[in-house]
Amino acid sequence: MQRPGLATEVIDQMTYEHAVQRFREQRIVMPTFAQLADPLAVDGARRADAAQADPDAPDPRNLFRVHWHNAADRRSTTTVPDHLVLPSSLTGIEATIVVALADRFPMIASHKVLAAYACLAPRIVTGQFDPTTQRAVWPSTGNYCRGGVAISRIMGCRGVAVLPEGMSAERFAWLERWVADPADVIRTPGTESNVKEIYDRCAELDREPDTVIFNQFSEFPNHLVHQLATGRALERVMEAVNADRRPLRPFAFVSASGSAGTLGAGDYLREHLGTRTVAVEALECPTMLENGFGSHNIQGIGDKHIPLIHNVMGTDYVVAVSDRVTDRLNVLFNTDAGRAELARRGVPGALIGALPSLGLSSICNIVAAIKLARHAGLGPEDAILTVATDGAAMYASERDRTLREAFGSDFDRVAAGEVLGEMLLGASPDHVLELTDADRRRIFNLGYYTWVEQQGISIEEFEARRSADWWRDLRVLLPTWDALIGEFNARVAGVAVS
C-alpha cells in the first residue's frame, strides 16, 4: 500500500500539525467512513447541530451530511435513503427499477461529494496534505470537481477544478460561485470523452509546487467509500422496498462508469444480495463494449479509458446508452407537455413530481436498467438497483439546447408520446453484453495503455487488480483510517491521545 492515497500512518508530522491547527481554527470535525455509511449512529446532538447548517453553504457541519440518508429538505435525516420505485407505466417492463436519489447530498446535490471527502480525508489524517499551503486539484468530467471544491473550501484550503470546456453552463456557474479565484476553474478541450486532456493538464499542474492531484479515476478511497456507504444505502433501500410488498429478487446493480467509483457498491451488493454488477457507457463512445471512441453528452461519464479503480473482473454486464435518448428524456421529464403525456399514460403524479431528481447520467442508468431487464428476460419478481447521480438542475441549458435542435422549440403532445414510446416503453435490449472471462480480460487490458504507459503505474500494481482478493484486502484500510480520523479529531479538540 505505497500509493499516497492508501497510507495508514502519519507520513509528515509537520504537515499533520498544520492541518490540526487549521481545523482547530475553523472548528472542523471530520466524520469517519463508518459514520458516513451509518449516519443514524452519529451522536444525536451532532446530528441536530448539522441540521442547523445551510445545506448549500461551506459550513463544516455539512460534513456530517455527506451521506445517503438526507431527506428531501436536505436538512433532516431519514431511516431509509430517499428513492424512487419506477412502475411499468414509465419503464414498460415487468421488473421493478429502484433508484436511490443523490440530489439530497449537501452543497452539490450529488453523491460525488462523498467521493471527494473520501479522497481528501485520508491525506489529511496521514500528514500528506497541508491545507495551509497546498492546493487540491480535482480532475473531473462532472460533479466530482464540484464536490472537491466544496470539501476544499470547508477544510480551509484552495480547491482547483479541472473539467472539459463542453460541460453544462450550470456546472461552471456553480464553480464560479464557490472557487476563491476564477483561475481555479480550468477548462480543458472537448467534452465527456476527453479524459486524457484532463490528465495532461493535471500533469502540468503537478509540476507546480504545493499542488496535490486528487484523480478520482485512480484514487482507491473513491471505490472504498462507495463499496461501504453506497452499498449499504442500497441494501437498506432494497430491504425497505421488500418490506412493503411481496419480496423481490435483486438481480443487478446498474451504474454508469464515470470514474467507476460508484461501481464499487456493486462489490458490496454482490456479497450481501447476490446481485450482478452492470457498467454503463455512452453508445457514442463504446470503450468497454467495442474498444471504441467518440464523443457524447451524457455528462458525468468520462471514457476512452478504463479507470484504475474499476474492478473489471468483478463486472458482469456492459450496457451502452445513446445520448440521443438521455437528451430527449431530459426534455420529456422537465416540460409541461412531457409531464402531461406521462400523466395521460398513467404515471403517478408523485413520481412525475420527483422526476427533476434525475439528471442526464441518472436517466442513462434507468434506460440501461430497462435494456438489461429486457435482455435478461426479467419478470415481476425481479428488481434492479441503481442511483440518480444528480438532478435536472444541472442541465437546464442542455434541455433548452435539445428543445431547439431536436424539436425546433415545439415539444408538443405528439413529440412527447414519441419520446416516451421509443425511448422508455419501447427501449430495445440492444448494446447489452454479458461478459465472458475473455471479455473481462479484454476490458481489463485496455487499462494498460492509460495507467502503465501514460500514468506510470507499475505493471505489478496494475496486474494485482485482477484478483478479487486484492479488492477485498483494500477494505482493511477503512477501520484504520477511521481510527486515524478519531485521533485527529481529538488532537483538534485538544484532547490527549494515548
Side-chain angles (χ1 to χ4, degrees):
M1 299 300 183
Q2 298 303 310
R3 292 180 61 79
L6 301 179
T8 57
E9 58 186 11
V10 175
I11 304 301
D12 186 314
Q13 191 64 41
M14 182 175 293
T15 296
Y16 183 90
E17 295 300 336
H18 287 172
V20 167
Q21 184 59 34
R22 173 58 56 87
F23 278 46
R24 184 177 294 151
E25 292 168 353
Q26 301 202 7
R27 303 178 67 184
I28 302 169
V29 179
M30 298 175 67
T32 64
F33 285 79
Q35 288 172 324
L36 298 181
D38 189 11
L40 298 180
V42 173
D43 175 76
R46 186 171 298 286
R47 282 193 285 124
D49 186 43
Q52 302 304 310
D54 178 352
D56 291 308
D59 189 316
R61 293 175 293 180
N62 274 327
L63 293 178
F64 281 86
R65 282 194 180 129
V66 180
H67 56 69
W68 283 96
H69 286 258
N70 296 291
D73 63 6
R74 299 170 67 231
R75 290 180 180 272
S76 54
T77 55
T78 61
T79 303
V80 178
D82 271 1
H83 60 278
L84 303 178
V85 179
L86 305 185
S88 59
S89 56
L90 180 68
T91 65
I93 59 173
E94 293 183 310
T96 298
I97 299 175
V98 182
V99 188
L101 300 178
D103 66 347
R104 275 56 169 158
F105 277 80
M107 281 102 60
I108 71 169
S110 169
H111 73 308
K112 290 302 183 82
V113 71
L114 176 65
Y117 175 80
C119 292
L120 183 53
R123 303 283 189 107
I124 292 284
V125 300
T126 55
Q128 294 183 96
F129 184 81
D130 188 337
T132 70
T133 62
Q134 293 180 305
R135 60 177 181 166
V137 176
W138 305 92
S140 172
T141 61
N143 291 310
Y144 175 76
C145 67
R146 295 199 302 126
V149 166
I151 295 297
S152 298
R153 188 162 168 187
I154 283 177
M155 292 191 174
C157 63
R158 183 178 173 189
V160 178
V162 182
L163 72 166
E165 61 189 356
M167 304 304 292
S168 71
E170 290 79 10
R171 275 192 174 82
F172 286 109
W174 185 96
L175 286 167
E176 288 162 4
R177 292 193 302 270
W178 275 74
V179 293
D181 184 325
D184 289 340
V185 180
I186 298 175
R187 295 166 169 82
T188 56
T191 56
E192 289 299 309
S193 299
N194 297 93
V195 174
K196 184 178 183 300
E197 289 78 358
I198 298 172
Y199 290 166
D200 291 345
R201 186 68 179 96
C202 285
E204 296 173 8
L205 293 169
D206 203 26
R207 291 193 288 269
E208 300 177 10
D210 301 324
T211 296
V212 178
I213 311 295
F214 291 90
N215 187 342
Q216 63 170 331
F217 303 95
S218 59
E219 289 279 329
F220 287 97
N222 181 5
H223 165 86
L224 286 168
V225 78
H226 286 299
Q227 185 275 325
L228 178 67
T230 301
R232 283 191 186 174
L234 289 165
E235 181 182 35
R236 292 185 184 112
V237 167
M238 193 70 246
E239 289 171 351
V241 169
N242 278 343
D244 293 336
R245 58 186 298 166
R246 180 172 58 84
L248 298 170
R249 176 179 67 125
F251 178 81
F253 168 63
V254 172
S255 178
S257 176
S259 69
T262 306
L263 282 167
D267 289 7
Y268 180 97
L269 294 169
R270 176 194 304 277
E271 294 173 16
H272 290 78
L273 299 182
T275 56
R276 290 88 171 158
T277 299
V278 182
V280 187
E281 63 184 359
L283 181 60
E284 286 74 15
C285 188
T287 306
M288 292 181 284
L289 200 65
E290 300 178 2
N291 294 12
F293 53 88
S295 182
H296 67 92
N297 191 49
I298 307 178
Q299 299 192 21
I301 307 177
D303 37 31
K304 286 194 292 196
H305 82 307
I306 305 300
L308 191 70
I309 65 170
H310 184 179
N311 181 7
V312 174
M313 305 308 287
T315 303
D316 301 287
Y317 288 86
V318 170
V319 180
V321 174
S322 172
D323 65 0
R324 177 178 177 272
V325 172
T326 53
D327 282 345
R328 285 157 177 75
L329 288 175
N330 184 33
V331 173
L332 179 73
F333 291 168
N334 295 285
T335 57
D336 291 341
R339 288 186 287 265
E341 180 63 14
L342 292 170
R344 192 178 73 82
R345 296 293 187 99
V347 178
L351 177 57
I352 294 172
L355 292 177
S357 288
L358 306 178
L360 293 178
S361 61
S362 310
I363 296 170
C364 173
N365 286 343
I366 291 168
V367 173
I370 294 171
K371 292 162 72 72
L372 173 70
R374 291 205 166 103
H375 173 88
L378 301 187
E381 73 282 1
D382 294 303
I384 299 174
L385 291 161
T386 189
V387 298
T389 305
D390 61 11
M394 280 290 110
Y395 308 102
S397 60
E398 298 299 315
R399 182 190 66 229
D400 293 344
R401 179 188 57 79
T402 302
L403 274 169
R404 290 192 308 272
E405 296 178 1
F407 303 103
S409 298
D410 184 21
F411 189 73
D412 56 14
R413 174 178 171 178
V414 172
E418 290 175 347
V419 170
L420 176 61
E422 176 189 353
M423 298 178 179
L424 283 178
L425 302 180
S428 64
D430 55 358
H431 308 298
V432 177
L433 177 64
E434 185 172 2
L435 300 181
T436 64
D437 286 342
D439 292 321
R440 293 185 183 94
R441 290 195 301 271
R442 170 182 61 80
I443 296 170
F444 184 96
N445 292 343
L446 277 175
Y448 171 88
Y449 304 100
T450 295
W451 300 108
V452 179
E453 290 196 344
Q454 296 176 20
Q455 301 300 320
I457 298 297
S458 72
I459 188 65
E460 292 79 14
E461 182 179 1
F462 179 80
E463 289 281 16
R465 298 159 41 258
R466 293 186 191 272
S467 167
D469 289 341
W470 187 90
W471 292 92
R472 280 192 290 269
D473 289 346
L474 275 180
R475 301 173 199 171
V476 303
L477 295 167
L478 292 169
T480 301
W481 287 338
D482 280 355
L484 289 169
I485 289 171
E487 293 172 8
F488 184 87
N489 286 338
R491 291 288 303 277
V492 170
V495 177
V497 179
S498 58

